[in-house]
Coordinates of all heavy atoms in Angstrom, one line a residue:
Y1 N 14.5 4.4 2.4 CA 15.3 5.0 3.4 C 15.1 4.4 4.8 O 14.0 4.0 5.2 CB 15.1 6.5 3.5 CG 15.4 7.2 2.2 CD1 14.5 7.4 1.2 CD2 16.7 7.8 2.1 CE1 14.8 8.1 0.1 CE2 17.0 8.5 0.9 CZ 16.1 8.6 0.0 OH 16.4 9.3 -1.2
A2 N 16.2 4.3 5.6 CA 16.0 4.1 7.0 C 15.3 5.2 7.7 O 15.5 6.4 7.3 CB 17.4 3.8 7.6
D3 N 14.5 4.9 8.7 CA 13.8 6.0 9.4 C 14.8 7.1 9.9 O 14.4 8.2 10.0 CB 13.0 5.4 10.5 CG 11.8 4.6 10.0 OD1 11.4 4.8 8.8 OD2 11.2 3.8 10.8
S4 N 16.0 6.6 10.3 CA 16.9 7.6 11.0 C 17.4 8.6 10.0 O 17.9 9.7 10.5 CB 18.1 6.8 11.6 OG 18.7 6.1 10.6
V5 N 17.3 8.4 8.7 CA 17.8 9.4 7.8 C 16.8 10.0 6.9 O 17.0 10.9 6.1 CB 18.9 8.8 6.9 CG1 20.0 8.2 7.8 CG2 18.4 7.8 5.9
K6 N 15.5 9.5 7.0 CA 14.4 9.9 6.1 C 14.2 11.4 6.3 O 14.2 11.9 7.4 CB 13.2 9.2 6.4 CG 12.1 9.1 5.4 CD 11.0 8.1 5.7 CE 11.5 6.7 5.8 NZ 10.4 5.8 6.1
G7 N 14.2 12.1 5.2 CA 13.9 13.6 5.2 C 15.3 14.4 5.3 O 15.2 15.6 5.1
R8 N 16.4 13.7 5.6 CA 17.6 14.4 5.6 C 18.6 13.9 4.6 O 19.4 14.7 4.0 CB 18.3 14.2 7.0 CG 17.5 14.6 8.2 CD 18.3 14.5 9.5 NE 18.7 13.1 9.8 CZ 19.9 12.7 9.9 NH1 20.9 13.6 9.8 NH2 20.2 11.5 10.3
F9 N 18.5 12.7 4.2 CA 19.4 12.1 3.2 C 18.6 11.8 1.9 O 17.5 11.5 1.9 CB 20.0 10.8 3.6 CG 21.0 10.9 4.8 CD1 21.2 12.1 5.5 CD2 21.8 9.8 5.1 CE1 22.1 12.1 6.5 CE2 22.7 9.8 6.2 CZ 22.8 11.0 6.9
T10 N 19.3 12.0 0.8 CA 18.7 11.7 -0.6 C 19.7 10.9 -1.4 O 20.8 11.3 -1.5 CB 18.4 13.0 -1.3 OG1 17.5 13.8 -0.5 CG2 17.7 12.7 -2.6
I11 N 19.2 9.8 -1.9 CA 20.0 8.9 -2.8 C 19.6 9.2 -4.2 O 18.4 9.5 -4.5 CB 19.9 7.4 -2.5 CG1 20.9 6.6 -3.3 CG2 18.5 6.9 -2.7 CD1 21.0 5.2 -2.8
S12 N 20.5 9.3 -5.1 CA 20.2 9.5 -6.6 C 21.3 8.7 -7.4 O 22.3 8.2 -6.8 CB 20.2 10.9 -6.9 OG 21.5 11.5 -6.7
R13 N 21.0 8.6 -8.6 CA 21.9 7.8 -9.5 C 22.1 8.6 -10.8 O 21.2 9.3 -11.3 CB 21.4 6.4 -9.7 CG 20.2 6.3 -10.7 CD 19.5 5.1 -10.7 NE 18.6 4.8 -11.8 CZ 17.5 5.5 -12.1 NH1 17.2 6.6 -11.5 NH2 16.7 5.1 -13.1
D14 N 23.2 8.3 -11.4 CA 23.5 8.8 -12.8 C 23.8 7.5 -13.6 O 24.9 7.0 -13.5 CB 24.7 9.8 -12.8 CG 24.9 10.3 -14.2 OD1 24.6 9.6 -15.2 OD2 25.4 11.5 -14.3
S15 N 22.8 7.0 -14.3 CA 23.0 5.7 -15.0 C 24.1 5.8 -16.0 O 24.9 4.8 -16.2 CB 21.7 5.3 -15.7 OG 20.7 5.1 -14.7
A16 N 24.3 6.9 -16.7 CA 25.3 7.0 -17.7 C 26.7 7.0 -17.1 O 27.6 6.5 -17.8 CB 25.1 8.4 -18.4
K17 N 26.8 7.4 -15.9 CA 28.2 7.3 -15.2 C 28.3 6.2 -14.3 O 29.3 6.0 -13.6 CB 28.4 8.7 -14.4 CG 28.4 9.9 -15.3 CD 28.7 11.1 -14.4 CE 28.8 12.4 -15.3 NZ 29.1 13.6 -14.5
N18 N 27.3 5.3 -14.2 CA 27.3 4.2 -13.2 C 27.6 4.7 -11.8 O 28.5 4.0 -11.2 CB 28.2 3.1 -13.7 CG 27.7 2.4 -14.9 OD1 26.5 2.1 -15.0 ND2 28.6 2.1 -15.9
T19 N 27.1 5.8 -11.4 CA 27.4 6.4 -10.2 C 26.1 6.6 -9.3 O 25.1 7.0 -9.9 CB 28.2 7.7 -10.4 OG1 29.4 7.4 -11.1 CG2 28.5 8.4 -9.1
V20 N 26.3 6.4 -8.1 CA 25.2 6.7 -7.1 C 25.7 7.7 -6.1 O 26.9 7.8 -5.8 CB 24.7 5.4 -6.4 CG1 25.8 4.8 -5.5 CG2 23.4 5.7 -5.7
Y21 N 24.8 8.6 -5.7 CA 25.2 9.7 -4.8 C 24.3 9.6 -3.6 O 23.2 9.1 -3.6 CB 24.9 11.0 -5.5 CG 25.6 11.2 -6.8 CD1 25.0 11.0 -8.0 CD2 27.0 11.6 -6.8 CE1 25.6 11.1 -9.2 CE2 27.6 11.8 -8.1 CZ 27.0 11.5 -9.2 OH 27.6 11.6 -10.4
L22 N 24.9 10.1 -2.5 CA 24.2 10.2 -1.2 C 24.4 11.7 -0.7 O 25.4 12.0 -0.3 CB 24.7 9.2 -0.2 CG 24.0 9.3 1.2 CD1 22.5 8.9 1.0 CD2 24.6 8.3 2.2
Q23 N 23.3 12.4 -0.9 CA 23.3 13.8 -0.3 C 22.9 13.7 1.1 O 21.7 13.3 1.4 CB 22.4 14.7 -1.2 CG 22.3 16.1 -0.7 CD 23.6 16.9 -0.8 OE1 24.3 16.8 -1.8 NE2 24.0 17.6 0.2
M24 N 23.7 14.2 2.0 CA 23.4 14.1 3.4 C 23.3 15.6 4.0 O 24.3 16.3 3.9 CB 24.5 13.4 4.2 CG 24.7 12.0 3.6 SD 25.9 11.0 4.6 CE 27.4 11.9 4.3
N25 N 22.1 15.9 4.4 CA 21.9 17.3 5.0 C 21.5 17.1 6.5 O 21.2 16.1 7.0 CB 20.7 17.9 4.2 CG 21.0 18.2 2.8 OD1 22.2 18.4 2.4 ND2 20.0 18.1 1.9
T26 N 21.6 18.3 7.1 CA 21.3 18.3 8.6 C 22.0 17.2 9.3 O 21.3 16.4 10.1 CB 19.8 18.3 8.8 OG1 19.1 19.1 7.8 CG2 19.4 18.8 10.2

């Protein structure tokens, strides 16, 4: 993660769906 988003954003993936997510909080 970039320092500017560390602790607020979370990246995850679903390999079966070939999809990546970005959960952005605060």
Side-chain angles (χ1 to χ4, degrees):
Y1 295 90
D3 288 342
S4 59
V5 306
K6 202 172 294 183
R8 300 188 298 121
F9 291 12
T10 303
I11 189 171
S12 61
R13 76 196 191 299
D14 184 332
S15 300
K17 296 181 179 180
N18 289 319
T19 298
V20 66
Y21 303 97
L22 181 62
Q23 178 66 45
M24 305 185 294
N25 298 328
T26 319

